[in-house]
Amino acid sequence: MLLLLPGLGFLLLVGWQVAAATSAGTHLCSSSPVNESAVCASVESVSQEMVLEVARGQASPCSLDFGQYACAQSAWLQDLQDDFLISLYSCLTPKPVSAMDPEYSVLFFSKYDAKKLVAALTMFSQRFSYVPLSPEWNMIFINGLWEKMLQVPDIDSPPVLSQWVHEGLQPFLVEPKVFACLRAKNVFCETFQKIVAALNGIYSDLPVEQQRNLYTGIKYYLIEDGSNRKCYNAAVPGLNSTAWFENYLGAFLEHATVGDLQLFGDEATLQKFARDPVNIQMISNLTLLHETAVYYTLLLTSGPDFPLSSLPDRFVCYLSPSAVSNLSRDDALTLAQRISKNCPLNLTHRGITRDSAPSSLTTEELQVASSLVRKFEHFTPAILRALGQAAVGLSISDIENSISDKDLEASIAALGEVRGWNAEQSGTIINKLLSSGYQIQNGQSLAKLGSLVAGFNSSTLRSLSPEVILEAIKLPEFVQHIATLPSSLKMIFVEKISSSVGHPADLVKYIPDALASYIPKSLLVFGEEKPNILDLNNKKWTREQAAMFFSDVMKAEPDFSRLSQSVLQGFTCAATNEMEAERFQELAKVMKKKNVKLGEDQLSCLVKLVTLHGIPKDLDSYPKDLLLFLSPSDYAATGSCRQYFANIGKANLDVLQRESSQRKELLSEALACLKISSTQVNKENAEILGRLVCDLSGEYIRSSGGNLLKQLSQCDSFLPDQEEAIRSVISSGNTTFGAPAAWSAFTLNVLSGLIPVFDHSILQKIPKNALTLWLKNFAHDSALSREQLATIVEELLPTRHKRADGCPPNKQITDMVLNSDLMPIEYTAEELHTCLKNVSLDNHLPQILTYAFSIQQLTVLKSHLDETYPDGYPESLLRKLGSLVSFVTPEDISKWNITSADTLADLLKYEPADAQAAAIIRRYTDLGNALNANALNAIGTRYICLLNVTELNMIDPNSLKLASLNPSACSQLTKDILYPKAKRAFSDQHYLPAYYELIKPYLGGAPGMDLKALSKDNVNMDVSTFANLRRDSVLSLTISEVENLLGRNLGDLKKWQHKSPIWEWVQMQKQSELDKLNIGLTGGTQEGYINIVARKFESTSSASLGTVAMTLHLLPALLISFLMMLVLS
């Protein structure tokens, strides 16, 4: 039998707790055999009847102590119920640990039947899987379980081992100190190797989280004594095998970081391990972490005498430029073919959208491709075909000068399959093709271009006939390339397709999925036409688009389960008017199963429908986000308040506004439920609170130490006092991550959500190599913005700068340098200024502006462009400015020639400050350009409020029909100008249910007459929209009109009654009439009192004129009339 039990200790580490545990606590571990007579000599004896009473529930499990259970006869213990371990643990944890408890544990578990123990552990696991155990009792329990598992037959077989891993040991995955038991139990390397082999046999059956936890435990064992070469000694037989990765990590190597590998051995030793044939065979079938794969490949290729032909196929994707620098042309082509075959392109690289990332290749991939391409002076069709994906390394100069027009056209098919072209490369190829006479006469000739289509400029693509576009998008080989097109070209494709089809159903049918979200929502109104549900389900829609046809879908598809998540997210309150009440809950349950995400107004309506006939008793069957609109008491029939808040913690809390009363009330109720009376929150409660931790004040964060960091790293933003508290906790070093000075790149990756909070005092303590490695291997997958990454770059640059007389020889800026996203940390601002002289950035600007340059470095780049173009930037450059647009001045903008909406879109998509954006828009319109749909979409909701009256009046109503805007936050004057235009734009759809969704963003400018008409259409207006209507329009509405306008949302008026203009409207109404609404509104006029209505005139620059009700409650009507007659006489 394999001596497996001691090794199972490495199961006991949770992935979040990455800090190494100390050997403290080994006194809680003991080895067998246990002398039962000696152990039980001082234990009060217990009878079988006493144990039976506990088993039958006639006596409390706490009536006996741990020693009494341990010293009872084995047969008696078999009568205990499967949930007994839960009760025993609850009895033991309040008590202090004694020196005898480890012995009791070994004795107690040794008497348990193995099958019964697995059943009991399964129940224990279900109860405590997500609840941290007491560290001391965790150690004591696992001490006995280890010894018990020694006795289990076939424990080394995958099925038996899998049962223990999956069902028995889950709750023990919390405390890292249990690994101290490994040393106490003298587990040797030879035994541990067998343990890894056994676990390796079930690796593929384990969930990823369990794989990761197991790996962390293996790592703990291998580094626990601080040795750099644990279980390896070249001079000791049995420990001298260089197949170390296979022997001691196996498939768990997939979870090892570079930092981990460097803990296992020095570089010379690791290189021996990496080159061992057994290890090479193993890693050929593994998927390593990206940074680890790059490092492993470097270990293989950096030394002498390793032929690239021996490199496993999947590792050719991680080669460094130096590894390919000395290849012959033939070897370069062979390698290029292997890269094309084995290296799928990561289209989400850099963590930003394709529009913002000109190339989705890593720096190393791009540099390797460039190195391979440089082996050739001229590129024939045969060479370009052989280069395959490596052709992405072609420079602009190569394309213009080293490929003949004839050869370029002959190579279209090969080049069109290359992914990752940047805009300059694909644009240069397309321009060269078109100028040499290439004709796009049909869809086939367009589709043949493949990925090169991204190189079209807008005017050229618009010149193609709709028929050509429609034919091309029906070809699957072309459709796969559409996803990577920039937004401006996607919108043109949509324009062309929509102009060639006459009905929404046809548009939905033919549009490729990658273009669906770009269809103007007004074109998705089906009207009398019946939608094809299958076609709608096969596309990804925005919430606003799906709202256009949701009502039609409800009528056409009785089985909600057949609707896609994308379609269901379009739920509207108005669409439920014709649904049977009993189907509301069915709809909500389907939304839960399909993980549909809804907005606040949608959820507010849905919860009313679901609870129409009372609170359901199975609330866990509904979307978690619905609970945000219910209370713990509403949930009582489903579960406890702890369960309620555990669900709230996993819900999308951002549905509610950050400082809203609802969120504050939820947090207050959660703290009360969890009995958190002080400001200290433990890890168990932090897990339950989940996203609610984001609302805890700085005092809670400071008092709780590192307990909240896991949840805080998931928060989107922080208040100043929270940021200060996080910095205080991190700086103290009293967390599982230790002091910043000891952090690795992996630590930074785990804490990446908190990096924006770190100040200079923290960043300067983090090792520079950790920051550099994180930037190189992790930054592109983080959610941090370029500006946030720049703060790390600033820490890596020298604080004292030498003024350079010239550019140092090792700092010359080459194509290789410009293709490296680590360029910002390699040049100070002064070096950048000096070394950029005589360097053209035009072809590299979109690429390098995705790099994390500091403000000083960006200023240098801007100055370089100013020197190159003293009379103003050409329009071709404007579209490449990217983040530099934030550095331009009004004087710069006045020199620009902005002739197209596409250029306007490129300038505004990087969200410059309002003053700059307004100047850019003004320059665009001053040059005589129209504010058409494309221009309005470029301006978007973010900047629409910046338009002045002259610009607003330039807008044609038909342009609004194809634009996606929401001016509800604009001035009243802006809303008053845009509303009649929008009303005219959608006038042909005013009789359809979708009309309300179309006109809704513009209703802030609607006159009372139009709102009265809308009240007859069962629109179920949400109260937030109602509160933002024109004041005079609201005051003109009667009670019945407001009731009809709000429909199902009428009850929400009570929560909003003190917000203007709702409060003024309430004051104008008779209280007796308000009472008939039965929603608790107060503040109306009492019987015997009247309202005096006066005209309140406002300046023409403010909101539109309207009737303002002034209510006087002080005197009876008769007295008021008398006084007025007296005054008038």
Side-chain angles (χ1 to χ4, degrees):
M1 181 179 68
L2 176 64
L3 185 63
L4 184 63
L5 175 63
L8 288 177
F10 57 69
L11 299 175
L12 313 176
L13 185 62
V14 101
W16 181 258
Q17 293 171 301
V18 295
T22 68
S23 60
T26 52
H27 66 283
L28 300 178
C29 302
S30 64
S31 299
S32 61
V34 170
N35 187 327
E36 183 171 358
S37 298
V39 169
C40 295
S42 59
V43 175
E44 184 179 346
S45 62
V46 62
S47 67
Q48 181 179 12
E49 186 59 31
M50 294 168 70
V51 176
L52 281 174
E53 286 178 357
V54 172
R56 294 168 182 160
Q58 296 169 343
S60 167
C62 302
S63 61
L64 303 178
D65 61 33
F66 198 19
Q68 289 176 302
Y69 285 116
C71 295
Q73 292 186 30
S74 175
W76 302 350
L77 297 181
Q78 311 317 313
D79 293 322
L80 296 171
Q81 300 299 313
D82 288 346
D83 63 353
F84 174 71
L85 286 185
I86 298 174
S87 302
L88 177 63
Y89 174 79
S90 300
C91 293
L92 295 176
T93 49
K95 301 178 180 179
V97 171
S98 75
M100 294 301 295
D101 285 329
E103 305 284 336
Y104 293 152
S105 176
V106 172
L107 197 56
F108 174 74
F109 286 113
S110 71
K111 296 179 178 182
Y112 241 98
D113 175 75
K115 290 184 179 178
K116 185 173 179 63
L117 180 57
V118 170
L121 284 172
T122 300
M123 290 195 71
F124 191 88
S125 178
Q126 291 170 350
R127 170 65 180 83
F128 290 104
S129 283
Y130 302 103
V131 179
L133 298 177
S134 155
E136 293 82 7
W137 286 103
N138 191 351
M139 293 275 282
I140 291 168
F141 269 49
I142 199 65
N143 182 61
L145 288 170
W146 249 318
E147 300 299 330
K148 176 63 181 179
M149 281 185 267
L150 279 170
Q151 307 164 20
V152 176
D154 300 322
I155 188 64
D156 55 332
S157 69
V160 177
L161 180 61
S162 180
Q163 186 177 32
W164 282 97
V165 171
H166 284 303
E167 300 173 19
L169 298 174
Q170 281 298 331
F172 303 100
L173 298 174
V174 218
E175 179 50 65
K177 291 182 181 178
V178 296
F179 292 104
C181 283
L182 286 172
R183 185 179 300 167
K185 290 178 178 293
N186 297 316
V187 176
F188 298 111
C189 292
E190 293 85 347
T191 302
F192 192 76
Q193 183 176 334
K194 295 175 182 177
I195 294 168
V196 172
L199 281 173
N200 205 38
I202 64 169
Y203 178 84
S204 60
D205 299 326
L206 298 171
V208 173
E209 190 61 30
Q210 282 192 9
Q211 292 174 0
R212 190 177 294 118
N213 292 340
L214 284 166
Y215 164 71
T216 311
I218 292 172
K219 181 179 71 171
Y220 178 85
Y221 171 85
L222 293 171
I223 66 172
E224 66 175 333
D225 62 357
S227 169
N228 203 315
R229 285 181 289 185
K230 178 78 172 177
C231 293
Y232 176 75
N233 189 323
V236 178
L239 293 179
N240 60 356
S241 171
T242 55
W244 193 90
F245 291 143
E246 165 79 13
N247 294 339
Y248 295 102
L249 293 174
F252 294 94
L253 184 62
E254 290 190 327
H255 299 283
T257 67
V258 171
D260 293 344
L261 294 187
Q262 291 169 340
L263 290 172
F264 299 145
D266 56 37
E267 192 160 310
T269 303
L270 290 175
Q271 192 165 61
K272 290 179 187 177
F273 295 168
R275 291 189 170 195
D276 183 276
V278 174
N279 289 334
I280 289 178
Q281 178 61 38
M282 179 187 73
I283 62 137
S284 298
N285 300 307
L286 300 182
T287 303
L288 303 185
L289 298 175
H290 180 269
E291 59 146 356
T292 306
V294 170
Y295 183 66
Y296 199 109
T297 307
L298 189 64
L299 289 173
L300 288 172
T301 59
S302 60
D305 307 323
F306 186 86
L308 290 185
S309 58
S310 299
L311 190 68
D313 281 343
R314 65 174 57 194
F315 285 84
V316 299
C317 310
Y318 307 105
L319 284 166
S320 64
S322 60
V324 303
S325 58
N326 296 321
L327 293 180
S328 67
R329 289 186 180 186
D330 289 343
D331 288 343
L333 288 179
T334 300
L335 179 60
Q337 290 169 331
R338 292 180 69 194
I339 290 173
S340 296
K341 180 181 178 182
N342 297 290
C343 305
L345 192 68
N346 178 13
L347 293 176
T348 59
H349 178 63
R350 302 181 194 280
I352 49 181
T353 64
R354 185 67 174 86
D355 286 345
S356 303
S359 172
S360 47
L361 299 170
T362 66
T363 292
E364 289 79 10
E365 289 167 339
L366 195 57
Q367 290 177 340
V368 166
S370 298
S371 295
L372 295 176
V373 164
R374 282 202 302 273
K375 306 292 181 184
F376 306 91
E377 296 177 359
H378 299 284
F379 300 90
T380 64
I383 291 176
L384 289 172
R385 282 194 297 273
L387 282 173
Q389 180 59 41
V392 78
L394 289 167
S395 68
I396 302 302
S397 176
D398 291 333
I399 297 168
E400 292 176 338
N401 305 315
S402 300
I403 309 175
S404 70
D405 291 349
K406 180 181 177 182
D407 287 346
L408 186 63
E409 185 166 347
S411 305
I412 289 176
L415 297 177
E417 288 301 313
V418 175
R419 296 178 181 257
W421 296 116
N422 64 40
E424 284 62 45
Q425 289 172 307
S426 57
T428 303
I429 293 172
I430 288 293
N431 291 338
K432 185 167 183 174
L433 281 172
L434 295 178
S435 62
S436 65
Y438 182 77
Q439 298 287 318
I440 303 175
Q441 298 175 331
N442 51 41
Q444 293 284 349
S445 56
L446 176 61
K448 186 178 178 181
L449 295 171
S451 60
L452 296 172
V453 171
F456 275 104
N457 61 44
S458 300
S459 58
T460 303
L461 191 57
R462 281 200 174 94
S463 69
L464 301 181
S465 71
E467 290 72 26
V468 169
I469 302 287
L470 199 59
E471 181 184 349
I473 64 167
K474 292 178 182 178
L475 302 172
E477 64 271 20
F478 178 68
V479 170
Q480 65 177 322
H481 296 292
I482 290 179
T484 60
L485 295 180
S487 295
S488 57
L489 296 188
K490 286 181 178 178
M491 287 190 282
I492 295 172
F493 268 96
V494 170
E495 287 175 27
K496 293 290 183 178
I497 297 168
S498 61
S499 68
S500 63
V501 296
H503 303 284
D506 290 335
L507 179 58
V508 171
K509 178 180 179 180
Y510 293 123
I511 201 82
D513 186 38
L515 299 178
S517 62
Y518 290 84
I519 300 176
K521 59 184 182 181
S522 63
L523 300 184
L524 292 170
V525 179
F526 285 85
E528 301 301 323
E529 188 180 6
K530 186 176 180 180
N532 183 307
I533 304 300
L534 183 60
D535 288 340
L536 287 172
N537 279 338
N538 288 334
K539 303 294 191 301
K540 291 184 177 67
W541 308 105
T542 66
R543 186 181 295 165
E544 290 72 21
Q545 286 176 315
M548 293 298 105
F549 49 74
F550 188 79
S551 181
D552 299 311
V553 167
M554 288 294 98
K555 296 173 186 175
E557 178 52 76
D559 186 354
F560 300 145
S561 66
R562 288 198 281 204
L563 298 176
S564 71
Q565 179 193 56
S566 183
V567 169
L568 287 169
Q569 70 172 331
F571 168 80
T572 64
C573 218
T576 64
N577 288 327
E578 299 178 28
M579 283 176 59
E580 298 88 352
E582 57 271 15
R583 303 210 65 201
F584 296 150
Q585 295 185 353
E586 179 188 344
L587 174 61
K589 289 180 177 181
V590 170
M591 288 179 170
K592 157 86 173 192
K593 290 178 182 176
K594 305 218 170 185
N595 195 27
V596 177
K597 300 300 180 187
L598 301 177
E600 180 178 8
D601 294 334
Q602 293 172 304
L603 289 165
S604 178
C605 173
L606 187 61
V607 78
K608 296 181 185 76
L609 301 175
V610 166
T611 60
L612 200 59
H613 301 301
I615 306 294
K617 296 181 179 180
D618 58 343
L619 282 173
D620 285 346
S621 301
Y622 296 85
K624 282 185 172 64
D625 293 352
L626 276 189
L627 297 180
L628 296 169
F629 299 84
L630 296 171
S631 66
S633 60
D634 294 329
Y635 189 81
T638 300
S640 66
C641 72
R642 288 175 68 88
Q643 190 176 341
Y644 168 80
F645 283 110
N647 284 322
I648 288 289
K650 296 170 188 172
N652 179 19
L653 204 60
D654 291 332
V655 164
L656 304 176
Q657 292 184 12
R658 177 70 186 264
E659 292 294 303
S660 67
S661 58
Q662 281 176 280
R663 278 181 67 153
K664 291 178 179 177
E665 186 176 353
L666 279 172
L667 180 60
S668 175
E669 290 177 333
L671 296 175
C673 166
L674 300 176
K675 297 180 173 57
I676 302 174
S677 55
S678 68
T679 55
Q680 188 170 9
V681 181
N682 61 33
K683 287 187 177 180
E684 178 185 351
N685 286 335
E687 287 286 347
I688 294 171
L689 288 172
R691 293 295 299 274
L692 278 171
V693 166
C694 301
D695 288 6
L696 289 173
S697 69
E699 188 178 356
Y700 280 91
I701 296 170
R702 207 174 270 105
S703 301
S704 304
N707 293 344
L708 307 181
L709 292 182
K710 177 181 177 181
Q711 289 74 29
L712 289 170
S713 68
Q714 307 300 316
C715 302
D716 294 328
S717 62
F718 300 103
L719 298 174
D721 78 308
Q722 291 177 311
E723 292 185 349
E724 186 179 339
I726 292 170
R727 287 191 286 269
S728 175
V729 170
I730 291 289
S731 298
S732 72
N734 296 324
T735 72
T736 55
F737 304 102
W743 288 358
S744 66
F746 182 75
T747 313
L748 279 168
N749 193 45
V750 174
L751 291 173
S752 62
L754 298 178
I755 287 178
V757 178
F758 297 168
D759 59 9
H760 174 67
S761 66
I762 293 175
L763 289 171
Q764 69 175 350
K765 295 174 184 174
I766 302 172
K768 303 294 186 191
N769 62 340
L771 289 170
T772 302
L773 193 61
W774 183 82
L775 277 174
K776 183 177 181 181
N777 294 313
F778 294 108
H780 50 73
D781 291 325
S782 76
L784 302 187
S785 66
R786 191 206 60 74
E787 291 79 10
Q788 289 169 329
L789 292 174
T791 61
I792 295 180
V793 168
E794 290 174 355
E795 291 299 324
L796 293 171
L797 292 171
T799 53
R800 295 184 180 181
H801 312 302
K802 294 181 180 179
R803 182 168 295 278
D805 296 330
C807 183
N810 64 333
K811 294 281 188 176
Q812 296 293 325
I813 296 180
T814 62
D815 283 354
M816 188 77 80
V817 170
L818 291 168
N819 285 332
S820 171
D821 51 9
L822 293 182
M823 184 182 176
I825 65 175
E826 294 166 354
Y827 291 84
T828 65
E830 289 77 8
E831 290 171 337
L832 201 58
H833 174 75
T834 304
C835 296
L836 275 175
K837 290 179 179 177
N838 302 319
V839 175
S840 174
L841 293 179
D842 287 18
N843 294 326
H844 295 277
L845 205 56
Q847 179 80 24
I848 67 174
L849 288 178
T850 64
Y851 303 163
F853 285 113
S854 67
I855 291 176
Q856 292 81 5
Q857 291 170 318
L858 286 173
T859 302
V860 170
L861 293 177
K862 164 74 165 51
S863 298
H864 178 75
L865 293 180
D866 291 343
E867 292 169 8
T868 307
Y869 303 102
D871 297 325
Y873 306 158
E875 187 165 21
S876 59
L877 186 66
L878 295 182
R879 303 194 62 179
K880 305 173 186 178
L881 279 183
S883 53
L884 282 184
V885 74
S886 297
F887 291 80
V888 299
T889 65
E891 183 182 356
D892 293 329
I893 296 170
S894 68
K895 299 176 184 178
W896 293 353
N897 188 28
I898 308 174
T899 64
S900 74
D902 295 329
T903 303
L904 180 66
D906 285 325
L907 289 168
L908 296 180
K909 73 181 178 183
Y910 287 92
E911 301 186 351
D914 285 356
Q916 292 164 311
I920 291 170
I921 295 169
R922 207 123 306 140
R923 179 63 177 167
Y924 172 81
T925 56
D926 287 347
L927 291 172
N929 298 299
L931 287 175
N932 55 25
N934 292 325
L936 291 176
N937 281 322
I939 292 168
T941 297
R942 178 178 173 86
Y943 296 122
I944 189 65
C945 300
L946 301 180
L947 300 188
N948 59 33
V949 173
T950 302
E951 291 161 344
L952 289 168
N953 286 327
M954 290 171 59
I955 298 173
D956 183 85
N958 288 326
S959 297
L960 282 183
K961 192 169 187 176
L962 300 176
S964 179
L965 300 173
N966 186 346
S968 59
C970 297
S971 69
Q972 190 60 55
L973 181 60
T974 296
K975 290 186 281 191
D976 288 346
I977 294 174
L978 288 178
Y979 173 76
K981 292 177 180 286
K983 180 182 177 182
R984 204 171 315 136
F986 305 125
S987 60
D988 58 336
Q989 296 164 317
H990 75 276
Y991 62 96
L992 299 172
Y995 173 74
Y996 172 68
E997 297 299 328
L998 291 168
I999 200 68
K1000 181 179 172 182
Y1002 302 93
L1003 285 177
M1009 185 186 307
D1010 288 3
L1011 295 179
K1012 291 174 183 288
L1014 204 58
S1015 70
K1016 301 173 184 177
D1017 294 338
N1018 295 320
V1019 296
N1020 291 314
M1021 179 183 288
D1022 57 90
V1023 73
S1024 60
T1025 299
F1026 182 74
N1028 283 307
L1029 297 176
R1030 253 170 56 173
R1031 186 172 182 276
D1032 62 312
S1033 299
V1034 170
L1035 298 183
S1036 71
L1037 299 176
T1038 65
I1039 289 181
S1040 63
E1041 286 166 345
V1042 170
E1043 184 177 13
N1044 292 333
L1045 197 60
L1046 297 182
R1048 300 188 189 280
N1049 297 311
L1050 181 66
D1052 292 338
L1053 267 186
K1054 172 64 178 174
K1055 300 175 188 174
W1056 290 64
Q1057 72 170 2
H1058 295 295
K1059 180 178 174 63
S1060 179
I1062 296 174
W1063 178 238
E1064 290 90 331
W1065 178 83
V1066 167
Q1067 289 179 306
M1068 283 186 61
Q1069 313 309 314
K1070 289 184 179 180
Q1071 185 60 49
S1072 59
E1073 295 298 316
L1074 291 174
D1075 292 341
K1076 294 177 183 178
L1077 295 176
N1078 294 316
I1079 60 173
L1081 285 181
T1082 57
T1085 304
Q1086 300 297 329
E1087 295 296 332
Y1089 293 73
I1090 66 169
N1091 296 323
I1092 294 181
V1093 181
R1095 291 277 184 180
K1096 181 180 177 183
F1097 293 98
E1098 301 175 353
S1099 65
T1100 55
S1101 62
S1102 62
S1104 62
L1105 301 180
T1107 303
V1108 181
M1110 305 295 291
T1111 309
L1112 185 60
H1113 292 277
L1114 301 177
L1115 298 171
L1118 185 60
L1119 180 58
I1120 296 173
S1121 300
F1122 173 75
L1123 291 174
M1124 289 180 67
M1125 291 176 63
L1126 185 63
V1127 170
L1128 292 173
S1129 64

